[in-house]
Short mmCIF file of all heavy atoms in Angstrom, two decimals:
data_model
loop_
_atom_site.label_atom_id
_atom_site.label_comp_id
_atom_site.label_asym_id
_atom_site.label_seq_id
_atom_site.Cartn_x
_atom_site.Cartn_y
_atom_site.Cartn_z
N ALA A 91 -47.97 144.60 115.13
CA ALA A 91 -47.85 143.58 114.09
C ALA A 91 -46.86 143.99 113.02
O ALA A 91 -46.04 143.19 112.56
CB ALA A 91 -49.22 143.30 113.47
N ALA A 92 -46.90 145.27 112.62
CA ALA A 92 -45.99 145.76 111.59
C ALA A 92 -44.55 145.78 112.10
O ALA A 92 -43.61 145.42 111.38
CB ALA A 92 -46.41 147.16 111.14
N VAL A 93 -44.36 146.20 113.35
CA VAL A 93 -43.02 146.23 113.93
C VAL A 93 -42.45 144.82 114.04
O VAL A 93 -41.28 144.58 113.73
CB VAL A 93 -43.04 146.92 115.31
CG1 VAL A 93 -41.71 146.73 116.03
CG2 VAL A 93 -43.33 148.41 115.15
N ARG A 94 -43.26 143.89 114.46
CA ARG A 94 -42.79 142.51 114.58
C ARG A 94 -42.36 141.95 113.22
O ARG A 94 -41.37 141.21 113.13
CB ARG A 94 -43.88 141.63 115.21
CG ARG A 94 -43.99 141.76 116.71
CD ARG A 94 -44.87 140.66 117.29
NE ARG A 94 -44.72 140.57 118.73
CZ ARG A 94 -45.52 141.16 119.60
NH1 ARG A 94 -46.52 141.91 119.17
NH2 ARG A 94 -45.31 141.03 120.91
N ARG A 95 -43.10 142.29 112.16
CA ARG A 95 -42.70 141.82 110.83
C ARG A 95 -41.34 142.39 110.46
O ARG A 95 -40.49 141.68 109.91
CB ARG A 95 -43.75 142.23 109.80
CG ARG A 95 -45.04 141.43 109.86
CD ARG A 95 -45.91 141.64 108.64
NE ARG A 95 -46.39 143.02 108.54
CZ ARG A 95 -47.53 143.45 109.10
NH1 ARG A 95 -48.29 142.62 109.79
NH2 ARG A 95 -47.91 144.70 108.94
N GLN A 96 -41.11 143.67 110.76
CA GLN A 96 -39.82 144.27 110.45
C GLN A 96 -38.71 143.66 111.30
O GLN A 96 -37.62 143.33 110.80
CB GLN A 96 -39.88 145.78 110.67
CG GLN A 96 -40.71 146.52 109.65
CD GLN A 96 -40.54 148.03 109.74
OE1 GLN A 96 -39.69 148.55 110.44
NE2 GLN A 96 -41.39 148.76 109.02
N TYR A 97 -38.97 143.49 112.60
CA TYR A 97 -37.95 142.93 113.48
C TYR A 97 -37.58 141.50 113.07
O TYR A 97 -36.41 141.11 113.15
CB TYR A 97 -38.42 142.95 114.92
CG TYR A 97 -38.21 144.27 115.64
CD1 TYR A 97 -38.93 144.57 116.80
CD2 TYR A 97 -37.30 145.21 115.18
CE1 TYR A 97 -38.74 145.76 117.48
CE2 TYR A 97 -37.10 146.40 115.85
CZ TYR A 97 -37.83 146.68 116.99
OH TYR A 97 -37.64 147.87 117.66
N ALA A 98 -38.54 140.71 112.67
CA ALA A 98 -38.24 139.34 112.25
C ALA A 98 -37.23 139.33 111.11
O ALA A 98 -36.28 138.54 111.10
CB ALA A 98 -39.52 138.63 111.84
N GLU A 99 -37.41 140.22 110.16
CA GLU A 99 -36.51 140.29 109.01
C GLU A 99 -35.15 140.87 109.40
O GLU A 99 -34.10 140.36 108.98
CB GLU A 99 -37.14 141.13 107.90
CG GLU A 99 -36.30 141.21 106.63
CD GLU A 99 -36.95 142.03 105.54
OE1 GLU A 99 -37.91 142.78 105.84
OE2 GLU A 99 -36.49 141.94 104.38
N LEU A 100 -35.16 141.91 110.20
CA LEU A 100 -33.92 142.61 110.53
C LEU A 100 -33.03 141.80 111.47
O LEU A 100 -31.81 141.70 111.26
CB LEU A 100 -34.25 143.97 111.14
CG LEU A 100 -34.85 144.97 110.15
CD1 LEU A 100 -35.62 146.06 110.88
CD2 LEU A 100 -33.75 145.58 109.29
N PHE A 101 -33.61 141.21 112.51
CA PHE A 101 -32.78 140.41 113.42
C PHE A 101 -32.24 139.17 112.72
O PHE A 101 -31.13 138.70 113.05
CB PHE A 101 -33.58 140.03 114.67
CG PHE A 101 -33.57 141.10 115.73
CD1 PHE A 101 -34.53 142.09 115.73
CD2 PHE A 101 -32.59 141.12 116.70
CE1 PHE A 101 -34.53 143.09 116.70
CE2 PHE A 101 -32.57 142.11 117.68
CZ PHE A 101 -33.54 143.10 117.68
N ALA A 102 -32.97 138.64 111.76
CA ALA A 102 -32.46 137.49 111.00
C ALA A 102 -31.26 137.88 110.15
O ALA A 102 -30.45 137.02 109.79
CB ALA A 102 -33.57 136.92 110.12
N ALA A 103 -31.14 139.17 109.83
CA ALA A 103 -30.02 139.64 108.99
C ALA A 103 -28.75 139.90 109.79
O ALA A 103 -27.67 140.04 109.20
CB ALA A 103 -30.44 140.91 108.25
N PHE A 104 -28.84 139.99 111.12
CA PHE A 104 -27.65 140.26 111.93
C PHE A 104 -26.65 139.12 111.81
O PHE A 104 -27.00 137.95 111.94
CB PHE A 104 -28.01 140.42 113.40
CG PHE A 104 -28.49 141.79 113.79
CD1 PHE A 104 -29.52 141.93 114.72
CD2 PHE A 104 -27.92 142.93 113.28
CE1 PHE A 104 -29.96 143.18 115.11
CE2 PHE A 104 -28.35 144.19 113.65
CZ PHE A 104 -29.37 144.32 114.57
N PRO A 105 -25.36 139.45 111.60
CA PRO A 105 -24.33 138.40 111.63
C PRO A 105 -24.00 138.03 113.07
O PRO A 105 -24.45 138.67 114.02
CB PRO A 105 -23.13 139.09 110.96
CG PRO A 105 -23.30 140.53 111.32
CD PRO A 105 -24.79 140.78 111.32
N THR A 106 -23.20 136.99 113.22
CA THR A 106 -22.70 136.57 114.53
C THR A 106 -21.21 136.87 114.61
O THR A 106 -20.47 136.47 113.72
CB THR A 106 -22.94 135.07 114.76
OG1 THR A 106 -24.36 134.82 114.74
CG2 THR A 106 -22.38 134.62 116.09
N PRO A 107 -20.76 137.61 115.66
CA PRO A 107 -21.55 138.18 116.74
C PRO A 107 -22.01 139.60 116.42
O PRO A 107 -21.32 140.35 115.71
CB PRO A 107 -20.57 138.19 117.91
CG PRO A 107 -19.24 138.44 117.24
CD PRO A 107 -19.30 137.72 115.92
N THR A 108 -23.16 139.98 116.95
CA THR A 108 -23.66 141.35 116.88
C THR A 108 -23.91 141.84 118.30
O THR A 108 -24.45 141.10 119.13
CB THR A 108 -24.97 141.43 116.06
OG1 THR A 108 -24.70 141.16 114.69
CG2 THR A 108 -25.60 142.81 116.18
N TYR A 109 -23.54 143.09 118.54
CA TYR A 109 -23.80 143.74 119.82
C TYR A 109 -24.68 144.96 119.50
O TYR A 109 -24.28 145.82 118.72
CB TYR A 109 -22.50 144.16 120.50
CG TYR A 109 -21.58 142.98 120.71
CD1 TYR A 109 -20.59 142.67 119.78
CD2 TYR A 109 -21.71 142.17 121.83
CE1 TYR A 109 -19.76 141.57 119.95
CE2 TYR A 109 -20.87 141.07 122.02
CZ TYR A 109 -19.90 140.78 121.07
OH TYR A 109 -19.08 139.68 121.24
N ALA A 110 -25.86 145.01 120.09
CA ALA A 110 -26.85 146.01 119.68
C ALA A 110 -27.47 146.72 120.86
O ALA A 110 -27.62 146.15 121.95
CB ALA A 110 -27.96 145.33 118.86
N THR A 111 -27.82 147.99 120.64
CA THR A 111 -28.59 148.76 121.61
C THR A 111 -29.75 149.43 120.90
O THR A 111 -29.79 149.49 119.67
CB THR A 111 -27.71 149.78 122.35
OG1 THR A 111 -28.39 150.21 123.54
CG2 THR A 111 -27.36 150.98 121.48
N TYR A 112 -30.68 149.95 121.67
CA TYR A 112 -31.92 150.48 121.12
C TYR A 112 -31.75 151.90 120.60
O TYR A 112 -31.00 152.70 121.15
CB TYR A 112 -33.02 150.52 122.20
CG TYR A 112 -33.12 149.28 123.05
CD1 TYR A 112 -32.78 149.30 124.40
CD2 TYR A 112 -33.58 148.08 122.51
CE1 TYR A 112 -32.89 148.17 125.19
CE2 TYR A 112 -33.70 146.94 123.30
CZ TYR A 112 -33.34 147.00 124.64
OH TYR A 112 -33.45 145.87 125.42
N GLY A 113 -32.52 152.22 119.56
CA GLY A 113 -32.69 153.60 119.14
C GLY A 113 -33.97 154.18 119.70
O GLY A 113 -34.77 153.47 120.33
N ASN A 114 -34.21 155.44 119.45
CA ASN A 114 -35.41 156.08 120.00
C ASN A 114 -36.70 155.60 119.34
O ASN A 114 -37.78 155.72 119.93
CB ASN A 114 -35.30 157.60 119.90
CG ASN A 114 -35.22 158.10 118.48
OD1 ASN A 114 -34.22 157.85 117.79
ND2 ASN A 114 -36.23 158.80 118.00
N VAL A 115 -36.63 155.06 118.12
CA VAL A 115 -37.87 154.57 117.49
C VAL A 115 -38.08 153.08 117.72
O VAL A 115 -39.07 152.51 117.25
CB VAL A 115 -37.91 154.87 115.97
CG1 VAL A 115 -37.74 156.35 115.70
CG2 VAL A 115 -36.88 154.05 115.20
N ASP A 116 -37.18 152.44 118.44
CA ASP A 116 -37.32 151.01 118.71
C ASP A 116 -38.25 150.75 119.89
O ASP A 116 -38.53 151.64 120.70
CB ASP A 116 -35.95 150.38 118.98
CG ASP A 116 -35.13 150.27 117.71
OD1 ASP A 116 -35.67 149.78 116.71
OD2 ASP A 116 -33.95 150.68 117.73
N ILE A 117 -38.71 149.51 119.98
CA ILE A 117 -39.58 149.09 121.07
C ILE A 117 -38.85 147.97 121.82
O ILE A 117 -38.86 146.81 121.41
CB ILE A 117 -40.95 148.60 120.55
CG1 ILE A 117 -41.61 149.72 119.72
CG2 ILE A 117 -41.85 148.18 121.70
CD1 ILE A 117 -42.94 149.33 119.10
N PRO A 118 -38.16 148.32 122.91
CA PRO A 118 -37.28 147.36 123.58
C PRO A 118 -37.93 146.05 124.00
O PRO A 118 -37.30 144.99 123.94
CB PRO A 118 -36.78 148.14 124.80
CG PRO A 118 -36.80 149.56 124.36
CD PRO A 118 -38.03 149.67 123.50
N ARG A 119 -39.19 146.09 124.41
CA ARG A 119 -39.80 144.87 124.94
C ARG A 119 -39.96 143.78 123.88
O ARG A 119 -40.14 142.61 124.22
CB ARG A 119 -41.16 145.18 125.57
CG ARG A 119 -42.27 145.55 124.61
CD ARG A 119 -43.57 145.82 125.36
NE ARG A 119 -44.70 146.06 124.49
CZ ARG A 119 -45.01 147.23 123.95
NH1 ARG A 119 -44.24 148.28 124.23
NH2 ARG A 119 -46.06 147.37 123.16
N PHE A 120 -39.85 144.12 122.61
CA PHE A 120 -39.95 143.13 121.55
C PHE A 120 -38.63 142.44 121.24
O PHE A 120 -38.61 141.38 120.63
CB PHE A 120 -40.46 143.76 120.25
CG PHE A 120 -41.89 144.24 120.30
CD1 PHE A 120 -42.38 145.07 119.31
CD2 PHE A 120 -42.75 143.84 121.31
CE1 PHE A 120 -43.69 145.51 119.34
CE2 PHE A 120 -44.06 144.28 121.35
CZ PHE A 120 -44.53 145.12 120.36
N TRP A 121 -37.52 143.06 121.64
CA TRP A 121 -36.23 142.58 121.16
C TRP A 121 -35.92 141.17 121.63
O TRP A 121 -35.28 140.40 120.89
CB TRP A 121 -35.12 143.55 121.56
CG TRP A 121 -35.03 144.75 120.66
CD1 TRP A 121 -36.07 145.41 120.07
CD2 TRP A 121 -33.85 145.43 120.23
NE1 TRP A 121 -35.61 146.46 119.32
CE2 TRP A 121 -34.26 146.50 119.40
CE3 TRP A 121 -32.50 145.25 120.49
CZ2 TRP A 121 -33.34 147.37 118.81
CZ3 TRP A 121 -31.58 146.12 119.91
CH2 TRP A 121 -32.00 147.18 119.08
N SER A 122 -36.33 140.82 122.82
CA SER A 122 -36.02 139.47 123.32
C SER A 122 -36.71 138.39 122.50
O SER A 122 -36.27 137.24 122.48
CB SER A 122 -36.44 139.36 124.79
OG SER A 122 -37.84 139.57 124.93
N GLU A 123 -37.77 138.73 121.80
CA GLU A 123 -38.47 137.77 120.95
C GLU A 123 -37.67 137.42 119.70
O GLU A 123 -37.83 136.33 119.14
CB GLU A 123 -39.82 138.33 120.49
CG GLU A 123 -40.81 138.61 121.60
CD GLU A 123 -42.11 139.18 121.05
OE1 GLU A 123 -42.45 138.86 119.88
OE2 GLU A 123 -42.77 139.94 121.77
N PHE A 124 -36.80 138.33 119.26
CA PHE A 124 -36.16 138.18 117.95
C PHE A 124 -34.64 138.05 118.01
O PHE A 124 -34.04 137.57 117.05
CB PHE A 124 -36.54 139.37 117.06
CG PHE A 124 -38.01 139.48 116.81
CD1 PHE A 124 -38.79 140.36 117.55
CD2 PHE A 124 -38.64 138.68 115.87
CE1 PHE A 124 -40.16 140.45 117.34
CE2 PHE A 124 -40.00 138.77 115.64
CZ PHE A 124 -40.76 139.65 116.38
N ALA A 125 -34.02 138.48 119.10
CA ALA A 125 -32.56 138.41 119.19
C ALA A 125 -32.12 136.95 119.36
O ALA A 125 -32.45 136.31 120.36
CB ALA A 125 -32.06 139.26 120.35
N GLY A 126 -31.39 136.44 118.38
CA GLY A 126 -30.90 135.07 118.45
C GLY A 126 -29.67 134.95 119.32
O GLY A 126 -29.18 135.94 119.88
N PRO A 127 -29.10 133.76 119.44
CA PRO A 127 -27.95 133.55 120.31
C PRO A 127 -26.71 134.32 119.87
O PRO A 127 -25.81 134.54 120.68
CB PRO A 127 -27.71 132.03 120.23
CG PRO A 127 -28.42 131.58 118.99
CD PRO A 127 -29.57 132.49 118.82
N GLY A 128 -26.64 134.73 118.61
CA GLY A 128 -25.48 135.49 118.14
C GLY A 128 -25.59 136.98 118.35
O GLY A 128 -24.66 137.73 118.03
N THR A 129 -26.72 137.45 118.90
CA THR A 129 -26.95 138.88 119.11
C THR A 129 -27.06 139.17 120.60
O THR A 129 -27.89 138.60 121.29
CB THR A 129 -28.24 139.34 118.40
OG1 THR A 129 -28.11 139.13 116.99
CG2 THR A 129 -28.50 140.82 118.65
#
Side-chain angles (χ1 to χ4, degrees):
V93 169
R94 281 192 166 95
R95 287 193 295 271
Q96 289 190 10
Y97 277 161
E99 183 179 15
L100 291 158
F101 276 89
F104 276 142
T106 298
T108 291
Y109 303 94
T111 197
Y112 315 111
N114 62 292
V115 303
D116 287 312
I117 303 178
R119 71 179 185 276
F120 292 166
W121 280 36
S122 61
E123 297 179 28
F124 299 98
T129 298

